[in-house]
Amino acid sequence: MAGSVAGAALQLQQAVLWDHAAYVALLVGAAAGWSWRPRAGRRQRLLLPALLLAGALGGAGLAGWRSSVQAANALEPALEGRDLQVLGVVSQMPQRGEGGVRFLFDVEAARWAGDTGQDPPPRVPARIALGWYADNTGLWGRAPEQAPRAQAGEAPGPVHAGERWRLQVRLKAPHGNLNPHGFDLELRLWEQGVQASGYVRTGAGDARPQPMGRTWRHPVERAREAVRDAVFERVPDRRQAGVIAALVTGDQAAIERADWDMFRATGVAHLMSISGLHITMFAWLAGALVGMAWRRSTRLMLWWPAPQAALAGGVVLAALYALFSGWGLPAQRTVWMLATAALLRLTGRQWPWPFVWLCTGAVVVAFDPWGLLQPGFWLSFVAVGVLFAAGSPDETGGGAVARLARMWREQWTVTLALTPLGLLLFQQLSVVGLAANMLAIPWVTLVITPLAMLGAAVPLLWDLAARAVQLLAWLLEWLAGLPLATLSAPAPALWAAIAGVTGGALLAMRLPWSLRVQGLPLLLPALLWQAPRPADGEFELLAADVGQGNAVLVRTARHSLLYDAGPRYSLESDAGHRVLVPLLRALDERVDTVVLSHRDSDHTGGAPAVLAMQPGAELRSSVEAGHPLRQLRPVQRCLAGQSWTWDGVRFEILHPEAGDYAGFTRPNAVSCVLRIGNGRAAALLAGDIERLQEAALASRAPGLQADLLLVPHHGSKTSSSPALLDAVRPRIALVQAGWRNRFGHPAAEVLARYAERGVAVVDSAHCGAAHWASTQPHRVRCERQEARRYWHHQPP
């Protein structure tokens, strides 16, 4: 069991998949190892190593074979960006937003757009993720300044789960932002079996979307959608309705972002969706009801004992509940764990808790090997193991006071043990989390969730559930507002996190205190970890992968600067919340200065989230008076000649000059240009300046040379003029642009100019987050190469 988990974990480290025959060979080797059972003699001591090796071969072989089968269904590169017509069924309840609707689509047939039937049909993956947007661009919530360029399209239709549609679409391989300590979208899509994403084409020259009627398929998804929509119709407050919808149908997107921030700050986020706790509690309650009903029938009691019937019935009903909640990955893992533990108990034998714990983990990994890379797996797996080790699962009986005492001990035990793991996974610790969970767990589990679920039959109960959610929100808002409600810490190294989890487990276990206190020194590496920083006189740049936009973190020995804050992706999402805040928290950064080059939302979209996280940061920008950002923080205008020195590193604003503000017609013309240098290496961050500004900069700024150039305007053909390139003479040109962006950045003619001068061009679509240091000015380290895994898209 431990061997199979280790084998799957090793397979997940592969950058490139082997041929599927290699994984079949591993499975054959595992079967041979299991069949070889030395029973006596000197070979008996080889039994345990042989079983561990067989398990490792089996785990790696199964995970690899499944991956190779899935990879064979990938989107062919020749189909990217081409118009196709697909016929299929909406396989998941759609997610609606201000700019459109998103949904999963099971493809039944595909052909070329405008095809007469003579060409061979394209091979499209069986499941794709689609968006239907009002602007017909594939962008959800585009920047306001880009709106005039968007082609008007047909408004998104009333798409529902189980409906068959014929759609004209444009697809691409799944490609997400790849950053250190960031969310791996490509892994999430891989787990869901999605091998292509795209959007519905609804322009004047495109075929109109055609509804083909409802089908019998996906009845559970249709029911979930109906319940979710009924909740929002019944409950007027969208925040309360979102929590209720999430608890009943598992639709986590229904909860607003501000509420998620509050739930995370108070450590109760795990309660606000269909989590392992909800399913386990449901299994316990369902089992109790099945047992009560079973005992009323003598015939049933003679056929099967009531305790065993209750155990099996609880697991089956919990599985049905998980299915209705969307069969999400956390729900699946919980069901497999419950089923495994139930089967072991039904055997009638008394299994040691380490065997039960490892066996449930092995079963979960066999069904979902990629779950090993998800925080939820480790939080639940370690929590269950700690409770087993602490002796809590075997305790029963006692009065109400005894039950409350056990509940309190279990809660602080798990909190203590998971604190180092939480720092590794989230770099945040809720100081009020223990108190919040002690109040929220019974309230959500015994009051809100039952009312929310019963409301599907009696909608009046949703009104009571909304009141209960409101009371909980008041309490959590008060707790979140307390001083030092949350603490942040840098992400520790893996060894430090493992030591910390071990130390927390030792402190929580029922051992003599002389042994428990030995866990304290093991906690220290995780709690006191400090992220490494540049030496005095040196500096580093981390160009975050934010898609179509700029965001560069500059670090010296004791200071940090953020140049631009990335784009706004939609009304509900931006680069600040999605990329920069987690990144800054993982590095434990206290940003001294935020420079926003100009007003365009692909440079300022994430600024509100960053400024809220960094209350002490100074803000410099060229944004005009009356811009909304000026209501968040006083803004110091960028002016050429401004300079300062941090830790032996000089920062200079080279553009714009005071006169440029009076005559500019476009925000690009007053982009703040920042040069950073230490006398041995330099970097130039150029914002979105264009040819006229580049020529003025080259003529009036002597000593413009830099080793690294942040390519102006993302590689637009209106920038990167020969005058600028000849003045800067960079070794490396860094382009921050989205994969297959609709502007065509970087332009081919721009790339040709850099190539003529022997400049190495690194773009975020191929590189992911880019790391550059003044100690190695000739080199850029790419997250997409250094952290490469076989599910990551490798653009041609």
Side-chain angles (χ1 to χ4, degrees):
M1 291 171 292
S4 64
V5 174
L10 288 173
Q11 192 277 330
L12 296 179
Q13 304 306 309
Q14 287 189 284
V16 180
L17 287 171
W18 298 335
D19 186 86
H20 71 278
Y23 299 112
V24 174
L26 291 179
L27 291 172
V28 172
W34 278 101
S35 63
W36 182 74
R37 302 279 186 90
R39 300 184 182 279
R42 300 176 62 181
R43 292 190 303 170
Q44 181 69 27
R45 60 189 176 186
L46 299 177
L47 177 60
L48 181 59
L51 292 180
L52 288 174
L53 178 59
L57 292 176
L62 181 60
W65 177 76
R66 290 180 59 187
S67 298
S68 61
V69 170
Q70 184 165 326
N73 193 37
L75 180 71
E76 297 176 359
L79 300 183
E80 291 195 82
R82 300 188 62 180
D83 287 345
L84 309 171
Q85 278 198 6
V86 294
L87 175 68
V89 177
V90 179
S91 60
Q92 193 178 64
M93 65 175 183
Q95 298 293 332
R96 298 179 178 87
E98 296 293 336
V101 59
R102 293 177 287 192
F103 51 92
L104 296 184
F105 194 72
D106 288 348
V107 178
E108 299 175 327
R111 66 183 186 184
W112 301 104
D115 185 14
T116 60
Q118 298 178 353
D119 296 329
R123 187 179 66 86
V124 175
R127 171 164 287 191
I128 59 179
L130 291 177
W132 186 343
Y133 308 103
D135 58 21
N136 193 38
T137 63
L139 294 179
W140 186 300
R142 65 194 178 280
E145 63 272 8
Q146 297 169 358
R149 307 175 190 171
Q151 179 184 358
E154 184 174 331
V159 180
H160 300 286
E163 290 182 341
R164 179 175 283 112
W165 283 78
R166 186 184 300 278
L167 303 169
Q168 183 166 323
V169 300
R170 188 170 289 181
L171 301 178
K172 64 178 181 179
H175 186 99
N177 302 329
L178 202 58
N179 294 282
H181 311 289
F183 175 68
D184 192 342
L185 174 63
E186 294 169 39
L187 174 61
R188 174 63 58 85
L189 294 175
W190 178 274
E191 281 192 283
Q192 296 175 343
V194 175
Q195 291 283 32
S197 60
Y199 64 99
V200 179
R201 299 282 295 172
T202 58
D206 301 315
R208 292 174 58 87
Q210 299 179 30
M212 311 295 287
R214 288 186 176 269
T215 69
W216 58 268
R217 297 169 60 182
H218 308 293
V220 175
E221 288 298 318
R222 294 203 305 269
R224 292 179 64 220
E225 183 182 358
V227 171
R228 181 193 63 181
D229 294 346
V231 169
F232 278 95
E233 290 178 4
R234 176 78 190 188
V235 179
D237 189 295
R238 292 192 61 85
R239 296 181 64 183
Q240 299 167 11
V243 173
I244 295 172
L247 292 174
V248 178
T249 68
D251 183 11
Q252 297 187 33
I255 299 179
E256 296 187 2
R257 187 174 64 187
D259 289 330
W260 275 123
D261 293 340
M262 178 181 65
F263 297 149
R264 293 190 184 101
T266 52
V268 301
H270 63 101
L271 296 174
M272 299 305 158
S273 59
I274 305 298
S275 65
L277 174 65
H278 291 113
I279 295 173
T280 303
M281 288 295 298
F282 185 89
W284 179 78
L285 292 172
L289 293 175
V290 170
M292 290 174 57
W294 202 268
R295 292 182 179 90
R296 293 180 176 273
S297 171
T298 304
R299 180 175 299 180
L300 292 176
M301 288 282 290
L302 292 174
W303 177 63
W304 205 16
Q308 296 185 6
L311 183 62
V315 172
V316 170
L317 292 175
L320 294 176
Y321 173 45
L323 185 65
F324 182 78
S325 72
W327 200 237
L329 295 172
Q332 293 180 40
R333 289 193 286 265
T334 303
V335 169
W336 301 136
M337 293 181 74
L338 289 173
T340 304
L343 286 174
L344 291 174
R345 180 170 292 186
L346 290 174
T347 62
R349 299 181 61 181
Q350 194 73 16
W351 299 97
W353 74 261
F355 179 86
V356 177
W357 183 54
L358 291 174
C359 188
T360 56
V363 170
V364 170
V365 172
F367 281 98
D368 179 22
W370 306 285
L372 286 170
L373 300 175
Q374 299 292 354
F377 171 85
W378 290 106
L379 290 172
S380 60
F381 187 63
V382 173
V384 171
V386 168
L387 290 176
F388 270 129
S392 300
D394 296 330
E395 295 183 12
T396 57
V401 175
R403 292 191 181 96
L404 288 175
R406 283 201 299 272
M407 180 179 172
W408 170 259
R409 180 162 56 82
E410 290 175 2
Q411 186 61 42
W412 79 258
T413 296
V414 171
T415 300
L416 181 63
L418 294 186
T419 294
L421 187 60
L423 291 177
L424 173 67
L425 298 174
F426 307 115
Q427 297 81 54
Q428 189 175 30
L429 171 65
S430 175
V431 177
V432 299
L434 181 60
N437 274 280
M438 290 301 299
L439 297 171
I441 286 177
W443 188 250
V444 173
T445 306
L446 302 178
V447 179
I448 297 177
T449 301
L451 289 173
M453 295 181 63
L454 292 173
V458 185
L460 178 64
L461 296 179
W462 281 334
D463 298 334
L464 298 178
R467 295 283 185 176
V469 170
Q470 186 179 35
L471 289 174
L472 180 65
W474 287 343
L475 173 64
L476 295 179
E477 287 175 356
W478 177 75
L479 288 173
L482 293 175
L484 299 177
T486 60
L487 296 177
S488 297
L494 180 60
W495 68 267
I498 293 174
V501 172
T502 304
L506 276 176
L507 287 170
M509 292 174 66
R510 286 192 162 184
L511 296 172
W513 277 105
S514 60
L515 294 177
R516 288 192 187 190
V517 295
Q518 295 183 25
L520 289 175
L522 293 176
L523 287 173
L524 295 180
L527 298 178
L528 302 180
W529 182 265
Q530 296 294 318
R533 300 193 66 88
D536 278 308
E538 304 293 345
F539 65 102
E540 296 176 352
L541 268 65
L542 173 55
D545 185 5
V546 294
Q548 186 67 22
N550 282 154
V552 180
L553 176 65
V554 184
R555 305 169 72 227
T556 67
R558 286 172 293 276
H559 294 83
S560 299
L561 176 144
L562 182 66
Y563 182 86
D564 283 338
R568 186 186 68 197
Y569 304 121
S570 70
L571 296 178
E572 302 89 8
S573 177
D574 57 64
H577 278 96
R578 191 187 296 181
V579 177
L580 297 177
V581 167
L583 178 63
L584 295 172
R585 183 180 294 127
L587 297 175
D588 196 28
E589 290 295 337
R590 298 295 180 264
V591 177
D592 298 278
T593 299
V594 175
V595 176
L596 302 177
S597 60
H598 61 296
R599 63 158 297 160
D600 286 356
S601 70
D602 55 334
H603 298 254
T604 62
V610 172
L611 293 174
M613 178 203 182
Q614 301 286 341
E618 175 191 59
L619 179 58
R620 293 174 181 258
S621 184
S622 63
V623 297
E624 71 280 6
H627 192 279
L629 283 174
R630 290 185 174 270
Q631 300 176 9
L632 303 178
R633 191 75 50 88
V635 177
Q636 183 174 350
R637 173 176 280 190
C638 292
L639 284 174
Q642 295 172 343
S643 64
W644 64 95
T645 300
W646 286 341
D647 311 317
V649 179
R650 183 173 175 80
F651 294 74
E652 302 174 83
I653 300 291
L654 304 182
H655 181 83
E657 293 190 335
D660 296 326
Y661 284 100
F664 82 95
T665 57
R666 297 181 57 187
N668 292 353
V670 289
S671 289
C672 304
V673 177
L674 177 65
R675 187 179 187 275
I676 310 150
N678 61 3
R680 298 177 299 278
L684 184 67
L685 310 181
D688 275 2
I689 60 172
E690 298 179 332
R691 287 194 185 96
L692 288 177
Q693 294 78 44
E694 291 176 352
L697 186 63
S699 64
R700 72 190 183 202
L704 201 58
Q705 191 276 330
D707 298 278
L708 181 137
L709 171 65
L710 181 64
V711 173
H713 204 181
H714 319 286
S716 167
K717 61 184 178 180
T718 62
S719 303
S720 295
S721 60
L724 179 70
L725 301 190
D726 293 338
V728 178
R729 303 190 304 280
R731 298 184 184 187
I732 298 169
L734 184 61
V735 181
Q736 288 191 296
W739 168 243
R740 299 193 66 85
N741 64 86
R742 65 190 177 112
F743 307 106
H745 297 159
E749 60 192 77
V750 170
L751 295 177
R753 286 200 286 271
Y754 284 103
E756 290 171 1
R757 292 161 175 79
V759 180
V761 177
V762 177
D763 68 282
S764 53
H766 291 80
C767 180
H771 307 254
W772 180 89
S774 60
T775 54
Q776 294 180 304
H778 58 283
R779 181 186 177 211
V780 171
R781 295 186 295 110
C782 291
E783 191 73 15
R784 195 166 284 275
Q785 276 70 54
E786 293 193 349
R788 180 178 177 181
R789 298 294 182 267
Y790 57 82
W791 57 82
H792 287 150
H793 178 226
Q794 299 299 320

